Amino acid sequence: MSHSDLQSDTIHFLRFPLIVGVVFIHAHLSSDFVNITASDYPVFYVVNEFVSNILVRVSVPLFFFFSGFLFYYKTDFNGITYAKKVKSRIQSLLIPYLIWNIFLLALYYFVQKIPDINALFSGEKERIADFSVVDYLHAFGIGSDFPINYQFWFLRDLIILVVAAPLIFYFIRSTKGYGILLLGVLWLFEDRLPYNLFLLSSLFFFGSGAFFSISKTDFTQVFGKICYPVVLLYPLMAISDLFLMDQPYAVYLYKATVVVGGICLISVVSIWLKRGLKVNNTLSSASFFVFAMHEPGLKLIKKLAVLQLPHSELVLLLIYWGAPVLMILICLALYKILNTRFPACMKVVTGNRSGV
């Protein structure tokens, strides 16, 4: 397997596991759903925090890393190339972003008019029927931290990074690895900065991936050289992160753990691929649909389960594991049905990712 194929296969293989990671981030049972304390539910508390707030937190940074890498991959970046890239990203990012947020706006609008289920789709959200122009702008992530389909903040940030791609290219080319190091330091200590630098985390990981493409450096080869040290280091850092999360310096340990965890995952998967691990093309192509579709369904399943079932260690653990697994299976089943019956429509709503 060539270095180029290994990088491509590593990204292709990790798409679905990382989406599962995103689902489990949102599977976290916070105090919005149940009064969780370490003393009342110690086993559940540890599992809930360790998985959703530590282990799977590498997912979104790696998606930004891969996005930055692929944007500049195998290309001599210039005006013509950038125009082609923008045209491609309109299809893969902007159109799905608009469609899925409009879909959720419409869904909330209609279900909020049904008395029997209105409470399940209201709560923290203002009624769509009462939205002002500003509210609609916020619903599309303009002037707000999250769009109404809140996992799509990832696409919103990517769209902004694509617009800024020429500046990112010249910044990386002129500063080489030092510019990425600077972004990393700023991201690590952003809580100490006098101003909140919007997109800093997204920019750091997107730029890190872009650096490997622009410098024509094989990230699987670089990370593979330190595979064994990071495989030994990551579990120690993750466990330390769990037990020290209440300490003032916990945020720095958490961020370092995310970086080491991402390197660990890439290096291990690339080694497995060289040893014969196969990519599941069906799951990989379904990844975006699972990403787009899992909310607000997952939140609804969690809310119903917490309201209807008695609270205990076992029940909360079953809800925590069962709700995301059930939602993923529902999404995969819907994907298969819709992709079979409406392939052209699915191609549009998934940004030309279905069946690839």
Side-chain angles (χ1 to χ4, degrees):
M1 184 184 295
S2 70
H3 293 314
S4 177
D5 290 339
L6 184 57
Q7 290 180 110
S8 178
D9 284 353
T10 300
I11 295 172
H12 199 37
F13 178 89
L14 280 172
R15 280 177 185 157
F16 186 73
L18 292 178
I19 285 297
V20 172
V22 170
V23 176
F24 269 90
I25 290 173
H26 299 154
H28 184 269
L29 290 181
S30 66
S31 57
D32 294 338
F33 293 98
V34 59
N35 184 22
I36 301 169
T37 63
S39 58
D40 291 337
Y41 310 109
V43 176
F44 167 74
Y45 182 85
V46 168
V47 171
N48 189 44
E49 293 300 320
F50 189 60
V51 176
S52 288
N53 282 338
I54 298 175
L55 287 185
V56 297
R57 288 288 173 169
V58 302
S59 299
V60 176
L62 281 184
F63 274 125
F64 276 115
F65 178 87
F66 293 148
S67 297
F69 176 81
L70 292 172
F71 191 86
Y72 301 95
Y73 187 48
K74 285 186 176 180
T75 181
D76 294 323
F77 194 76
N78 52 45
I80 296 174
T81 302
Y82 178 61
K84 290 179 179 178
K85 292 283 186 178
V86 169
K87 183 178 179 180
S88 171
R89 269 45 179 194
I90 287 174
Q91 183 181 54
S92 63
L93 298 177
L94 181 60
I95 292 175
Y97 181 79
L98 295 174
I99 288 174
W100 285 97
N101 280 299
I102 291 171
F103 166 75
L104 199 58
L105 273 170
L107 175 65
Y108 275 124
Y109 177 82
F110 287 109
V111 297
Q112 284 175 355
K113 290 182 173 294
I114 304 174
D116 292 340
I117 62 173
N118 174 43
L120 294 174
F121 293 89
S122 298
E124 74 277 8
K125 288 185 171 58
E126 184 182 350
R127 288 174 57 86
I128 306 300
D130 300 328
F131 267 23
S132 65
V133 173
V134 173
D135 291 325
Y136 279 110
L137 290 175
H138 288 172
F140 285 94
I142 302 172
S144 61
D145 291 335
F146 303 100
I148 189 167
N149 207 334
Y150 73 90
Q151 69 266 32
F152 275 77
W153 71 266
F154 170 75
L155 262 68
R156 189 268 315 273
D157 282 16
L158 273 185
I159 291 168
I160 296 172
L161 291 169
V162 166
V163 173
L167 294 175
I168 295 171
F169 172 79
Y170 290 114
F171 172 76
I172 292 173
R173 196 175 67 169
S174 59
T175 62
K176 305 190 184 301
Y178 296 107
I180 299 301
L181 181 61
L182 173 62
L183 290 176
V185 171
L186 290 174
W187 169 67
L188 182 63
F189 296 104
E190 67 179 325
D191 62 315
R192 294 173 176 259
L193 298 176
Y195 302 103
N196 179 22
L197 297 181
F198 180 61
L199 283 178
L200 184 55
S201 174
S202 306
L203 176 60
F204 168 57
F205 287 102
F206 182 91
S208 298
F211 169 77
F212 282 95
S213 274
I214 294 169
S215 64
K216 294 180 171 54
T217 305
D218 184 341
F219 64 79
T220 61
Q221 192 173 31
V222 173
F223 295 161
K225 291 178 180 178
I226 57 173
C227 176
Y228 296 109
V230 296
V231 166
L232 293 174
L233 181 61
Y234 177 66
L236 297 176
M237 294 182 68
I239 293 170
S240 300
D241 194 8
L242 174 66
F243 289 103
L244 299 174
M245 60 173 53
D246 294 328
Q247 299 301 316
Y249 53 80
V251 63
Y252 311 120
L253 175 60
Y254 164 77
K255 290 182 177 182
T257 303
V258 167
V259 172
V260 173
I263 295 172
C264 179
L265 186 58
I266 289 174
S267 59
V268 168
V269 167
S270 63
I271 288 174
W272 286 350
L273 287 167
K274 285 192 288 187
R275 294 177 179 177
L277 182 67
K278 301 299 181 183
V279 177
N280 189 312
N281 291 320
T282 301
L283 291 180
S284 182
S285 63
S287 298
F288 183 85
F289 186 79
V290 176
F291 163 77
M293 197 73 188
H294 79 275
E295 289 287 15
L298 177 60
K299 182 178 287 187
L300 180 61
I301 293 172
K302 290 193 301 180
K303 187 178 288 189
L304 288 172
V306 167
L307 289 175
Q308 298 300 320
L309 298 175
H311 296 168
S312 68
E313 290 269 30
L314 179 60
V315 170
L316 290 174
L317 284 169
L318 288 173
I319 294 172
Y320 176 75
W321 291 105
V325 170
L326 176 60
M327 195 64 233
I328 290 169
L329 291 175
I330 291 172
C331 289
L332 289 175
L334 279 173
Y335 174 80
K336 184 175 182 179
I337 294 169
L338 294 174
N339 206 37
T340 300
R341 297 187 178 183
F342 310 103
C345 179
M346 286 291 286
K347 185 176 180 180
V348 173
V349 302
T350 62
N352 201 24
R353 295 176 179 88
S354 63
V356 176

